[in-house]
Amino acid sequence: MMMMSISNEPFALAHKEEYKIYGFPYSASTWRVLAVLHEKGLSYYPITVNLRTGEQKKPSFLSINPFGQVPVLLDGHLKLTESRAISLYIENTHRSRGSKLLNHKNYKKMGIETMWMYIESFEFDPPATTLTFEQAIKPMTGLKTDYKVVNETEPQLEKVLDIYEERLKISRFLAGNRFTLADLFHLPNIEYLMNTTTKRLFENRPNVHRWVAKIMARPAWRKACDANA
């Protein structure tokens, strides 16, 4: 899907029933939101904020998000930042549409799903994002990977994946036997890391490897990746 430039874009939805998404094609956080939109079968109007040229620091974008980060979702006059918050908003707003990404009828199960979403954010994401930056983002921007950082960070990710391996012995997905936001939130970093030497950390753990293959193969995720091509 082509993404429009931020320049001269009005602060309003382009089409009545579409969300407006400010993002960047190589942004893991943007991928996360697009995956949720595709899981729910929702259309959206994408606008590129070119992070490579510093467009996120220009007044035109800072007026939308003063933190200078993507993605941003606009729904009429509602403006949301932070990919996980946006994802939760989309799921809660469209809970009866498309994939059911949270268990809205059972609060105990939702509690487990929420717990694993926090685990992704606080335990998995920090080392995974560091490894993604060093091995995927840096080379794309002409910078050299710091393998000292990689070697220091991989053991941190291994500790998390060891816990995941045990969990995935007893359930198909992290929060239970169906795919939820707890799984989806992992996908952007996993997509990058499976194209680096760090992929062995996932492949060496059979239950983690099975889980990774299953969530990466979801049609909505493949569409989200294609949209950023």
Side-chain angles (χ1 to χ4, degrees):
M1 178 178 290
M2 293 293 292
M3 296 188 82
M4 299 294 293
S5 169
I6 188 176
S7 302
N8 301 318
E9 283 297 327
F11 186 78
L13 286 177
H15 304 290
K16 185 177 180 181
E17 296 182 354
E18 287 188 337
Y19 292 119
K20 178 181 285 187
I21 304 293
Y22 289 83
F24 184 63
Y26 302 103
S27 159
S29 295
T30 300
W31 284 5
R32 189 173 287 119
V33 170
L34 297 189
V36 175
L37 288 165
H38 285 293
E39 288 284 355
K40 305 306 288 186
L42 296 167
S43 61
Y44 58 93
Y45 185 72
I47 301 167
T48 295
V49 181
N50 194 327
L51 305 185
R52 289 182 175 178
T53 62
E55 204 165 19
Q56 74 277 18
K57 299 177 182 178
K58 293 182 178 180
S60 57
F61 183 69
L62 291 175
S63 67
I64 298 170
N65 183 3
F67 290 105
Q69 297 174 347
V70 295
V72 177
L73 175 144
L74 297 186
D75 181 7
H77 293 291
L78 175 67
K79 176 176 63 178
L80 293 176
T81 64
E82 299 298 330
S83 63
R84 294 170 183 82
I86 293 170
S87 298
L88 284 165
Y89 172 74
I90 294 169
E91 167 59 21
N92 286 321
T93 302
H94 303 280
R95 62 181 63 182
S96 63
R97 179 169 179 165
S99 302
K100 307 300 185 291
L101 300 175
L102 286 176
N103 195 319
H104 297 279
K105 295 182 179 180
N106 186 317
Y107 290 110
K108 288 185 177 180
K109 290 183 178 180
M110 186 184 285
I112 294 171
E113 292 161 358
T114 303
M115 177 186 73
W116 281 101
M117 285 190 279
Y118 276 92
I119 290 170
E120 182 277 330
S121 181
F122 291 105
E123 304 294 341
F124 176 87
D125 188 75
T129 294
T130 297
L131 291 166
T132 293
F133 177 71
E134 287 294 338
Q135 297 177 96
I137 305 302
K138 272 189 171 183
M140 283 194 296
T141 57
L143 300 174
K144 291 184 178 180
T145 297
D146 187 335
Y147 287 102
K148 180 181 178 182
V149 172
V150 172
N151 292 334
E152 290 173 348
T153 306
E154 281 191 339
Q156 299 171 31
L157 182 59
E158 285 193 277
K159 290 180 181 179
V160 177
L161 294 180
D162 284 342
I163 294 170
Y164 282 24
E165 179 69 10
E166 292 302 310
R167 170 62 179 173
L168 292 166
K169 283 182 180 178
I170 60 173
S171 63
R172 294 175 61 210
F173 299 97
L174 287 174
N177 287 320
R178 68 186 185 92
F179 179 82
T180 68
L181 288 177
D183 306 290
L184 184 150
F185 285 174
H186 290 76
L187 275 166
N189 277 318
I190 288 176
E191 181 74 26
Y192 273 123
L193 292 176
M194 292 304 286
N195 291 295
T196 72
T197 58
T198 298
K199 70 178 181 179
R200 74 189 188 284
L201 305 187
F202 299 90
E203 293 175 341
N204 290 343
R205 293 163 173 81
N207 294 306
V208 169
H209 192 200
R210 169 190 54 77
W211 168 70
V212 165
K214 188 177 292 291
I215 64 176
M216 285 185 68
R218 290 185 70 83
W221 177 244
R222 300 324 317 163
K223 288 179 182 178
C225 292
D226 290 343
N228 282 282

